[in-house]
Amino acid sequence: MAAAMALVRGVRFGSYSIGRSRSLIFNSLQRRGIAACVDPSIGLTDEQKEFQKVAFDFAANEMAPHMAEWDQKEIFPVEAMRKAAQLGFGGIYVNPDVGGSGLSRLDTSIIFEALSTGCVSTTAYISIHNMCAWMIDTFGNNEQREKFCPDLCSMQKFASYCLTEPGSGSDAASLLTSAKLQGDHYILNGSKAFISGGGDTDVYVVMCRTGEKGPKGISCVVVEKGTAGLSFGKKEKKVGWNSQPTRAVIFEDCAVPVTNRLGAEGEGFSIAMKGLNGGRINIASCSLGAAHASVLLARDHMCVRKQFGETLSNSQFLQFKLAEMATKLVASRLLVRQAAVALQEGRPDAVSLCSMAKLFVTDECFAICNQALQIHGGYGYLKDYAVQQYVRDIRVHQILEGNDFFSSWFSSKIS
């Protein structure tokens, strides 16, 4: 009996402690202001704060006012993205000698988080474009770098990443698109699915099979729009990410010069995975921006919406919810930034941290946005309110960029 009573007291005390912690968090949010508590500039250098402000200003002035229209009319905002490129956002971590900004992975994460507050869908495409430009810059020879990177960094041309196929998603090593060598060209046959920018972009970084089954038989080639044998499927109708077109990319006896191959034959899978390590940080950073914006929207709604004669901000239940959202946001940001630093430094734990960040942050940030919508009640379900678009746009972040790669990595470690 004594043991049982002690257990009950422990449970009660534990519940009290959790409630007390939430109360302390919310009191801090009220005292300092929630914006200060979740401030994404905390811990940054003065230089990082400067380009973060540039990105936030661009998001507020050039993206947020058009976010709903781009979504509803499915507009690919080419001119807005070219304005972003003028600020250096077209090749953020591409080397300066070919037009890039030469910034670090942490710098990149900071920028994508800020831009995403203005439009998640557009920022997510910009992140994919940056990944493609980095792959050409990193694995291409000087001729390839000079041919493709300057136009990509200025966003005079746009890029798409072509890995996923109808029959191979997370199991990327089983891809079937073939590339048969004929003279000084590869003849490509096959198709890629769910390609962001497909049909509207100019440069396609394509993983194709030049050899044996499995990852060692995969190579990476750059296919330019207008190449004979390259065509596109219908524009997909999506729940979110509507400011970027998504189509199948189809190759039918598509002749691509051998000089467009990045790296050696058989290195394509490694190139693809190295691109995705950064891609996972990028997409997690886009999730952070949506979550940050949603926390502030929820706060503002709670301060003006009245029920039972008082504003929602006086509800302890909703105070606790907001405190939990803020806590998840700050914890998620710390993990993303740790992974970004690890990748930049080439640390042994970089791949696992990138996977952890993608797994954890996309889940937690979707939960934050979804809770923000719930706090809005029925209004949150209306397209007049931005919170619903954040929810729709980041839902796919839990799916793409390798939803099973972390479990695959973990299994390989324990087997």
Side-chain angles (χ1 to χ4, degrees):
M1 178 64 72
M5 289 303 295
L7 178 61
V8 170
R9 283 196 297 270
V11 170
R12 287 176 177 168
F13 182 74
S15 298
Y16 170 78
S17 296
I18 293 170
R20 178 66 174 161
S21 296
R22 290 185 177 124
S23 182
L24 289 171
I25 293 168
F26 186 76
N27 288 341
S28 177
L29 296 179
Q30 282 188 312
R31 185 172 62 254
R32 296 181 55 209
I34 192 170
C37 292
V38 300
D39 183 358
S41 70
I42 292 174
L44 302 185
T45 66
D46 289 342
E47 183 181 22
Q48 288 170 334
K49 288 177 182 178
E50 286 180 12
F51 57 66
Q52 182 188 58
K53 183 180 185 303
V54 170
F56 269 125
D57 288 346
F58 185 85
N61 298 322
E62 301 291 342
M63 299 173 80
H66 310 290
M67 181 175 84
E69 181 185 13
W70 293 343
D71 173 68
Q72 292 168 19
K73 296 182 180 179
E74 299 184 0
I75 295 170
F76 191 45
V78 168
E79 292 309 315
M81 289 190 288
R82 285 178 176 158
K83 287 183 181 179
Q86 291 174 8
L87 299 174
F89 299 156
I92 301 172
Y93 50 110
V94 173
N95 283 303
D97 66 313
V98 287
S101 298
L103 297 180
S104 72
R105 298 297 185 141
L106 176 57
D107 301 336
T108 303
S109 173
I110 293 164
I111 290 168
F112 285 147
E113 178 182 354
L115 290 178
S116 195
T117 61
C119 181
V120 175
S121 171
T122 304
T123 305
Y125 171 74
I126 294 173
S127 80
I128 295 167
H129 172 91
N130 268 262
M131 179 176 69
C132 292
W134 173 83
M135 292 169 71
I136 295 172
D137 179 38
T138 303
F139 302 104
N141 56 38
N142 285 335
E143 183 180 347
Q144 293 166 334
R145 294 174 67 244
E146 291 169 2
K147 177 181 179 181
F148 294 111
C149 289
D151 283 343
L152 293 178
C153 291
S154 66
M155 285 188 152
Q156 291 306 303
K157 291 186 177 180
F158 295 92
S160 291
Y161 178 78
C162 300
L163 175 64
T164 300
E165 296 185 358
S168 63
S170 293
D171 184 17
S174 68
L175 65 83
L176 297 176
T177 296
S178 63
K180 304 294 185 184
L181 184 62
Q182 288 188 12
D184 57 359
H185 284 71
Y186 288 109
I187 308 301
L188 272 63
N189 282 283
S191 64
K192 299 293 180 178
F194 309 124
I195 304 305
S196 293
D200 284 44
T201 50
D202 309 284
V203 174
Y204 297 84
V205 180
V206 181
M207 311 307 148
C208 52
R209 189 163 299 284
T210 54
E212 62 189 78
K213 291 183 178 180
K216 293 182 179 179
I218 296 172
S219 299
C220 179
V221 299
V222 178
V223 182
E224 299 172 73
K225 190 174 184 179
T227 302
L230 173 65
S231 61
F232 307 96
K234 66 177 180 63
K235 185 178 178 181
E236 304 289 359
K237 302 295 289 184
K238 307 188 298 292
V239 172
W241 270 28
N242 289 318
S243 71
Q244 50 170 293
T246 301
R247 295 183 178 91
V249 176
I250 303 163
F251 308 98
E252 297 175 298
D253 292 331
C254 180
V256 179
V258 172
T259 53
N260 278 22
R261 187 189 68 223
L262 300 181
E265 279 198 3
E267 292 182 353
F269 188 79
S270 175
I271 292 172
M273 294 304 101
K274 288 175 181 176
L276 282 179
N277 288 333
R280 292 183 190 119
I281 295 173
N282 295 345
I283 214 66
S285 302
C286 292
S287 295
L288 287 174
H292 180 84
S294 295
V295 167
L296 300 183
L297 287 173
R299 173 207 60 184
D300 292 346
H301 185 75
M302 286 172 59
C303 290
V304 298
R305 174 65 170 162
K306 287 187 176 181
Q307 288 290 278
F308 306 104
E310 58 183 6
T311 61
L312 297 182
S313 59
N314 289 326
S315 164
Q316 188 181 59
F317 175 78
L318 293 180
Q319 291 173 4
F320 283 0
K321 287 295 182 184
L322 196 63
E324 291 173 356
M325 292 159 66
T327 302
K328 290 177 179 179
L329 172 59
V330 173
S332 295
R333 183 180 292 131
L334 291 172
L335 180 54
V336 170
R337 292 182 179 180
Q338 181 184 9
V341 171
L343 185 62
Q344 183 69 34
E345 294 176 350
R347 285 168 23 195
D349 61 348
V351 175
S352 56
L353 282 171
C354 292
S355 297
M356 289 176 184
K358 194 274 175 184
L359 172 70
F360 180 84
V361 174
T362 57
D363 282 350
E364 293 302 317
C365 287
F366 177 78
I368 291 168
C369 295
N370 196 43
Q371 184 60 58
L373 188 153
Q374 190 71 25
I375 288 172
H376 278 73
Y379 291 103
Y381 206 62
L382 301 179
K383 289 195 173 181
D384 292 332
Y385 288 75
V387 67
Q388 53 76 32
Q389 189 170 336
Y390 290 121
V391 172
R392 288 188 293 108
D393 279 343
I394 73 162
R395 178 60 184 86
V396 73
H397 296 188
Q398 296 169 284
I399 299 171
L400 48 77
E401 299 288 6
N403 61 319
D404 291 329
F405 277 115
F406 178 72
S407 58
S408 298
W409 169 85
F410 186 74
S411 297
S412 70
K413 294 296 182 183
I414 64 175
S415 60

